[in-house]
Amino acid sequence: GDSVTQMEGPVTLSEEAFLTINCTYTATGYPSLFWYVQYPGEGLQLLLKATKADDKGSNKGFEATYRKETTSFHLEKGSVQVSDSAVYFCALNPEGGTSYGKLTFGQGTILTVHP
Amino acid sequence: GAVVSQHPSRVICKSGTSVKIECRSLDFQATTMFWYRQFPKQSLMLMATSNEGSKATYEQGVEKDKFLINHASLTLSTLTVTSAHPEDSSFYICSAGGQTSLYEQYFGPGTRLTVT
């Protein structure tokens, strides 16, 4: 079945540091890939997405590129802020069929940014 | 943007009782809603898919008689945990599919259930 593997956290960084959270996936065909963010006490919010190979999703300074050859969708940000402290989830939506819409999530990575 | 609410945000109940959790799409109609369970420091696990006006579809290993799902309207789905036990304590999250596509989903803030 489909699966998503994220780098284990927690990740602790100083403000303005560079961030990378690794994400790899196993799925058939070309799933859509997502990064969701969960701030303390809130629901998951879509951060960015990519639907096909070599697509780059970006939002709020975060970027991730859909790499079919390495089945990866690593999240990056050049300069993190304290307000970026949250839990980040990588997820995939199957290409189609009866499982379409059933998101598979990675285990989540806790990011803490210190001033 | 699309907003999904859940109620209650936290609930504590005694073992053997039943608890109902509501999931509402506030500003759009959701023909499909999803229920997830999240254990501490673990990922979200899909429990069931709820379609308005029809029976829910449960994932393998999820007891449908224990986790009753009702999707009576385009804006409301409910999850009832029946005869709750301490092992049912968890964080339950719902999401609602977009009005025209399941490509994007909008998540509720979650409900923390503690069974004593």
Side-chain angles (χ1 to χ4, degrees):
Chain A
D2 298 340
S3 67
V4 176
T5 302
Q6 284 179 238
M7 65 182 286
E8 291 201 18
V11 174
T12 302
L13 296 172
S14 297
E15 206 165 25
E16 300 184 0
F18 183 84
L19 168 71
T20 298
I21 301 178
N22 290 337
C23 171
T24 58
Y25 69 90
T26 302
T28 56
Y30 290 83
S32 297
L33 301 175
F34 304 86
W35 276 99
Y36 284 89
V37 59
Q38 186 176 29
Y39 297 104
E42 299 183 16
L44 274 72
Q45 300 174 24
L46 178 64
L47 181 59
L48 53 83
K49 62 191 178 192
T51 60
K52 60 183 186 294
D54 300 325
D55 263 3
K56 178 186 281 187
S58 61
N59 185 27
K60 299 181 181 180
F62 291 90
E63 294 183 339
T65 301
Y66 189 145
R67 300 287 188 199
K68 180 66 173 174
E69 64 276 15
T70 55
T71 61
S72 65
F73 194 54
H74 304 321
L75 181 68
E76 296 182 338
K77 186 174 185 181
S79 177
V80 294
Q81 305 300 312
V82 173
S83 57
D84 294 326
S85 298
V87 183
Y88 292 81
F89 291 93
C90 184
L92 71 81
N93 191 351
E95 184 175 6
T98 57
S99 293
Y100 182 63
K102 296 184 179 183
L103 296 174
T104 296
F105 286 88
Q107 65 267 43
T109 302
I110 300 172
L111 170 66
T112 303
V113 180
H114 292 297
Chain B
V3 179
V4 175
S5 70
Q6 279 185 244
H7 178 79
S9 57
R10 293 175 180 270
V11 59
I12 301 173
C13 70
K14 292 185 183 297
S15 187
T17 61
S18 295
V19 174
K20 180 184 286 188
I21 301 169
E22 293 185 349
C23 176
R24 293 182 185 272
S25 56
L26 298 185
D27 50 4
F28 67 103
Q29 295 182 328
T31 55
T32 302
M33 290 184 173
F34 301 89
W35 287 95
Y36 297 85
R37 184 171 178 177
Q38 184 180 25
F39 292 99
K41 298 183 179 181
Q42 293 190 30
S43 184
L44 283 75
M45 299 296 294
L46 180 64
M47 299 174 64
T49 303
S50 167
N51 292 296
E52 187 266 338
S54 64
K55 290 184 178 181
T57 304
Y58 291 82
E59 295 301 302
Q60 191 172 9
V62 177
E63 298 176 61
K64 62 181 180 181
D65 294 331
K66 180 166 191 61
F67 298 100
L68 300 179
I69 291 173
N70 184 282
H71 194 158
S73 78
L74 288 171
T75 59
L76 174 64
S77 176
T78 60
L79 168 67
T80 301
V81 183
T82 63
S83 187
H85 291 285
E87 57 266 29
D88 298 324
S89 298
S90 191
F91 195 54
Y92 293 89
I93 301 173
C94 72
S95 72
Q99 195 162 355
T100 57
S101 170
L102 295 180
Y103 169 71
E104 286 195 35
Q105 296 176 26
Y106 305 97
F107 286 81
T111 297
R112 172 74 62 192
L113 170 64
T114 303
V115 184
T116 60

